[in-house]
């Protein structure tokens, strides 16, 4: 296959921007390590107003994130492209010197943070000096990072070219951050309205409803729940309005305005009503005798399921109902691309959706796991004609990459999780043939279905979609730095708390793909890693590795 | 004619104001989402699966309904 159409890349190719991408990753890693490693509440022990301000530093991070998001949204892809394009690149020697300086600033900042947050005697004796040093070290850390990223000329060029986006980002981002502090007071009233609605709905279902409006406690004599402010619907309303706002902005050319803005209040009301139904369902499940399911899987999964249903439902509504959308011509190539996108992503989507639904009806052990394998297999079968050109020949090199990835995975993933105890106990509690059948399907799902589903989504689709919006015009296995790094990072993100190991594994599977430009090689490497993990789990009893 | 244009401008202004108000409200929720909760509506432990499902769903719907 050759690149047949000269379409604009979805993300600018980063082949010449490895230092910038590396520095962005470095900053993200530094923020992550410092915020996870040190708890700002520890500073509360230091009785000085300036030192206590340090305890509110997470607010500064939130302010920074709000300003960055709004700036990026208003500046769009042109801002990203301009930021990655160096008009006057720093000489390597100068960049290395700045990087060294940044390393020193990092050490200084971590040292001051560790001392300040420990509340050691020198801090108690001189709180103002330590707090002031903390701010200076933090500023040095950011300044040295900025100096390493771009030359002064390029920073000033960027500020000049995107002054409007920066001003919008600063004003709106700060307003968002300020309102975030002020609107906390709305949590309690919303919880009371949710409480009233849930009480009314439960009254329709049960003859006896237990309720304590003062404590926001509601339920039946068998099962009760407290509608805490966080459970009131506020999170869902916030997420859906944020999602729809960003969506309406990004795809504003496809939609009719101001009509499309109606989707915002409609989405907020819909998700609030569905959240009330979620609480009613929670009480109903608990009342029916499945208290562990209600408190466990249902509580953690139902919110995400509702959010996804409303978000995707409203996206479909916006593009399906002529009242909201601008009339567009759908040609044959567009329909083919839509089918190809669905063919590569639907197996993963179906697997995750079924996992969340079955997870919602499970306590600690997902006995309904076979449904995931059935869903993945069914979708793969439906779209099988789209996978014919993906080359599935045996590759010893890919198998070797899978072996090395297994070693890295075992070295990086902690083995002391709750899963290590829950699974063997649950399996011992059922007849041996049930346990064997479940384990067999689990192995099939882990070693066969998961590699196919994930490699189709990440290596066959995403690596190409990052290079061009018309991904079918890009050959499978075409290397660019941006597609390699972004797809691997997103693969890592899919693995949640195991994101570091997941990102490295994603890179390894991508390398297997690039060698012969054959998706089958990435699938084989992935299947080898998963197969070896399964064998390791069975031989060592380290069930936590099978998260 | 002029009054019609003014009315349209006012409608758009009000709509944009409403959108901005909701967007601010929404971002504010995310900005304070760091506070620990024991019984969350949106569980942080399953955020990766939730966002992966959302992203893949949006990409598929965009491919199906979006303009080129």
């Amino acid at each position: 296959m050759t690149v047949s159409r000269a379409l604009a890349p979805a993300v600018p190719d980063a082949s010449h921007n490895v230092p910038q991408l590396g520095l962005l990753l470095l900053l993200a890693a530094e923020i992550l390590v410092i915020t996870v490693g040190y708890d700002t509440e520890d500073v509360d022990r230091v009785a000085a107003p300036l030192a206590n301000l340090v305890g509110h530093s997470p607010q500064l991070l939130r302010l920074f994130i709000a300003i960055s998001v709004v700036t990026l949204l208003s500046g769009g892809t042109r801002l990203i492209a301009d930021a990655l394009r160096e008009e006057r690149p720093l000489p390597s020697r100068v960049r290395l010197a700045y990087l060294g300086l940044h390393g020193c600033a990092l050490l200084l900042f971590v040292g001051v943070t560790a001392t300040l947050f420990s509340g050691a005697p020198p801090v108690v004796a001189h709180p103002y000096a330590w707090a002031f040093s903390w701010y200076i070290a933090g500023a040095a850390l950011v300044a040295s990072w900025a100096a390493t990223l771009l030359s002064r000329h390029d920073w000033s060029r960027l500020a000049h070219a995107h002054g409007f986006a920066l001003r919008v980002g600063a004003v709106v981002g700060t307003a968002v951050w300020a309102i975030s502090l002020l609107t906390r007071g709305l949590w309690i009233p919303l919880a009371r309205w949710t409480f009233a609605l849930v009480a009314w709905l439960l009254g329709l279902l049960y003859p006896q409803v237990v309720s304590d409006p003062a404590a926001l406690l509601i339920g039946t004599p068998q099962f009760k729940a407290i509608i805490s402010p966080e459970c009131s619907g506020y999170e869902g309303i916030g997420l859906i309005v944020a999602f729809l706002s960003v969506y309406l902005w990004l795809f504003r050319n496809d939609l009719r305005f101001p009509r499309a803005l109606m989707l915002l209040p409609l989405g907020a009301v819909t998700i609030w009503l569905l959240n009330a139904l979620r609480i009613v369902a929670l009480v109903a499940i608990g009342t029916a005798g499945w208290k562990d399911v209600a408190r466990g899987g249902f509580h953690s999964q139902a919110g995400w399921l509702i959010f996804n249903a409303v978000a995707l439902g409203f996206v479909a509504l916006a593009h399906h109902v002529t009242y909201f959308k601008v009339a567009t011509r759908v040609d044959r190539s567009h329909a083919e691309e839509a089918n190809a996108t669905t063919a590569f992503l639907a197996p993963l989507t179906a697997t995750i959706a079924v996992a969340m639904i079955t997870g919602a009806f499970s306590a600690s052990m997902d006995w309904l796991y076979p449904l995931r394998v059935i869903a993945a297999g069914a979708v793969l079968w439906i779209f099988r004609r789209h996978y014919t050109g993906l080359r599935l020949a045996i590759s010893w090199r890919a198998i070797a990459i899978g072996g090395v990835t297994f070693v890295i995975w075992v070295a990086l993933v902690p083995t002391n999780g709750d899963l290590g105890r829950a699974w063997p106990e649950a399996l011992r509690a059922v007849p041996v043939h049930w346990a064997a059948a479940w384990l067999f399907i689990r192995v099939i799902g882990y070693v066969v279905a998961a590699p196919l589903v994930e490699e189709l989504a990440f290596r066959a689709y995403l690596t190409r979609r990052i290079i061009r919006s018309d991904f079918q015009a890009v050959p499978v296995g075409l290397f660019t730095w941006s597609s390699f790094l972004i797809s691997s990072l997103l693969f890592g993100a899919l693995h949640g708390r195991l994101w570091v190991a997941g990102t490295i594994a994603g890179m390894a599977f991508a390398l297997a793909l690039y060698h012969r430009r054959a998706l089958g090689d990435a699938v084989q490497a992935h299947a080898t890693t998963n197969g070896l993990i399964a064998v390791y789990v069975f031989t060592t009893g380290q069930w936590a590795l099978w998260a | 004619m002029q009054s019609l244009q003014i009315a349209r401008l006012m409608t758009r202004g009000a709509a944009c104001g409403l959108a901005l108000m909701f967007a601010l409200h929404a971002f504010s929720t995310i900005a304070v989402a760091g506070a620990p909760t024991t019984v969350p509506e949106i569980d942080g432990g399953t955020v990766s699966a939730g966002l992966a499902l959302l992203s893949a769903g949006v990409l598929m719907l965009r491919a199906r309904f979006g303009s080129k």
Side-chain angles (χ1 to χ4, degrees):
Chain A
M1 198 188 292
T2 55
V3 178
S4 56
R5 272 171 281 179
L7 293 173
V11 171
D13 178 30
S15 306
H16 305 292
N17 302 102
V18 176
Q20 278 80 17
L21 287 172
L23 282 164
L24 285 170
L25 287 176
L26 179 70
L27 183 69
E30 286 172 2
I31 291 173
L32 193 72
V33 168
I34 291 168
T35 50
V36 169
Y38 299 98
D39 190 347
T40 49
E41 285 183 9
D42 295 343
V43 186
D44 292 346
R45 283 176 292 184
V46 182
L50 186 62
N52 277 335
L53 275 179
V54 175
H56 293 94
S57 56
Q59 291 298 342
L60 290 177
L61 186 62
R62 285 166 198 163
L63 174 64
F64 168 75
I65 291 170
I67 290 174
S68 303
V69 168
V70 178
T71 304
L72 279 173
L73 280 175
S74 53
T77 47
R78 206 165 67 83
L79 173 62
I80 299 170
D82 277 356
L84 288 172
R85 179 175 61 86
E86 286 184 282
E87 210 167 76
R88 282 190 206 163
L90 286 167
S92 302
R93 189 167 41 84
V94 175
R95 179 164 273 149
L96 273 176
Y98 279 132
L99 190 62
L101 201 65
H102 178 69
C104 295
L106 178 66
L107 286 176
L108 180 69
F109 184 71
V110 170
V112 174
T113 305
T115 313
L116 183 64
F117 285 27
S118 70
V123 177
V124 177
H126 305 286
Y128 287 97
W130 278 98
F132 189 66
S133 307
W134 188 82
Y135 279 109
I136 295 290
L141 185 72
V142 175
S144 59
W145 178 83
T148 316
L149 188 72
L150 291 173
S151 65
R152 253 175 61 185
H153 168 83
D154 281 315
W155 276 117
S156 118
R157 172 183 59 82
L158 211 57
H160 186 70
H162 297 281
F164 177 73
L166 288 169
R167 282 193 293 276
V168 170
V171 172
V172 178
T174 307
V176 166
W177 170 77
I179 289 175
S180 76
L181 296 177
L182 300 174
T183 52
R184 280 183 164 181
L186 293 176
W187 287 33
I188 298 293
L190 189 66
R192 298 209 183 283
W193 297 336
T194 310
F195 177 85
L197 181 61
V198 170
W200 179 72
L201 288 169
L202 282 175
L204 299 176
L205 294 175
Y206 297 99
Q208 192 182 357
V209 175
V210 177
S211 77
D212 179 355
L216 294 173
L217 185 141
I218 188 84
T220 62
Q222 293 79 29
F223 189 87
K224 301 168 202 69
I226 293 175
I227 302 177
S228 61
E230 299 85 357
C231 217
S232 63
Y234 195 90
E235 286 181 341
I237 291 172
L239 276 176
I240 201 69
V241 175
F243 168 78
L244 287 175
S245 301
V246 172
Y247 190 85
L248 295 184
W249 175 259
L250 290 177
F251 301 107
R252 58 192 178 277
N253 293 335
D254 296 349
L255 301 165
R256 286 179 196 269
F257 285 93
R259 293 176 184 180
L261 294 172
M262 281 175 60
L263 295 169
L264 295 171
L266 280 175
V269 171
T270 306
I271 205 159
W272 180 71
L273 291 173
L274 287 174
N275 181 55
L277 284 178
R278 179 185 73 95
I279 298 168
V280 171
L282 181 88
V283 173
I285 291 170
T287 304
W290 299 310
K291 292 181 180 175
D292 288 343
V293 172
R295 291 194 192 104
F298 188 83
H299 210 142
S300 67
Q301 300 286 0
W304 274 114
L305 283 167
I306 289 172
F307 169 65
N308 268 283
V310 175
L312 296 177
F314 272 72
V315 168
L317 191 74
H319 287 287
H320 204 65
V321 178
T322 49
Y323 183 77
F324 295 120
K325 70 167 184 175
V326 173
T328 51
R329 188 174 55 84
V330 177
D331 56 26
R332 194 184 173 87
S333 68
H334 190 181
E336 281 173 13
E337 187 197 315
N339 285 338
T341 303
T342 309
F344 288 114
L345 290 180
L348 181 72
T349 311
T351 309
I352 295 174
V354 172
M356 290 176 82
I357 292 167
T358 58
F361 295 99
S362 306
S364 58
M365 183 80 175
D366 190 1
W367 288 110
L368 300 171
Y369 180 87
L371 291 178
R372 271 194 239 183
V373 184
I374 292 168
V379 179
L380 287 168
W381 178 257
I382 290 168
F383 291 104
R384 63 192 180 284
R385 71 178 179 84
H386 288 272
Y387 314 136
T388 49
L390 298 175
R391 300 175 61 195
L392 296 166
I394 286 280
S395 162
W396 293 110
R397 184 190 176 97
I399 291 169
I401 288 174
V404 173
T405 311
F406 157 73
V407 174
I408 295 170
W409 190 273
V410 171
L412 288 178
V413 174
T415 54
N416 55 353
D418 291 339
L419 198 65
R421 291 183 293 275
W423 279 31
E425 285 171 13
L427 288 168
R428 272 195 291 270
V430 297
V432 70
H433 58 276
W434 277 115
W438 189 89
L439 281 172
F440 176 74
I441 296 170
R442 170 71 181 150
V443 170
I444 296 293
Y446 192 63
V447 180
V448 180
L452 272 170
V453 163
E454 291 177 8
E455 294 311 312
L456 282 170
F458 284 90
R459 254 61 68 181
Y461 173 78
L462 195 59
T463 53
R464 295 192 287 162
R465 179 65 179 77
I466 289 166
I467 296 169
R468 283 181 189 274
S469 53
D470 178 9
F471 76 99
Q472 283 188 290
V474 180
V476 171
L478 180 72
F479 177 84
T480 67
W481 276 106
S482 52
S483 65
F484 171 65
L485 291 174
I486 295 171
S487 65
S488 301
L489 275 169
L490 291 175
F491 184 74
L494 181 72
H495 291 79
R497 64 187 173 84
L498 308 178
W499 67 272
V500 175
T503 303
I504 293 171
M507 288 176 168
F509 302 150
L511 290 176
L513 168 79
Y514 292 136
H515 179 59
R516 294 196 305 178
R517 291 191 173 182
L519 184 75
D521 291 3
V523 174
Q524 286 173 68
H526 196 153
T528 304
T529 304
N530 285 12
L532 289 171
I533 291 171
V535 171
Y536 185 84
V537 166
F538 284 129
T539 52
T540 63
Q542 300 283 357
W543 293 85
L545 272 175
W546 233 1
Chain B
M1 190 66 186
Q2 201 178 7
S3 59
L4 188 67
Q5 281 178 337
I6 292 170
R8 274 184 186 160
L9 270 174
M10 284 176 70
T11 312
R12 287 192 178 189
C16 289
L18 186 72
L20 186 64
M21 191 187 79
F22 268 97
L24 291 173
H25 182 70
F27 280 120
S28 71
T29 307
I30 292 169
V32 295
T37 54
T38 49
V39 281
E41 178 190 357
I42 300 293
D43 186 7
T46 50
V47 66
S48 54
L51 291 182
L53 182 61
L54 181 69
S55 310
V58 168
L59 282 166
M60 286 196 295
L61 287 172
R62 282 290 308 166
R64 189 152 297 277
F65 298 124
S67 62
K68 294 289 287 180

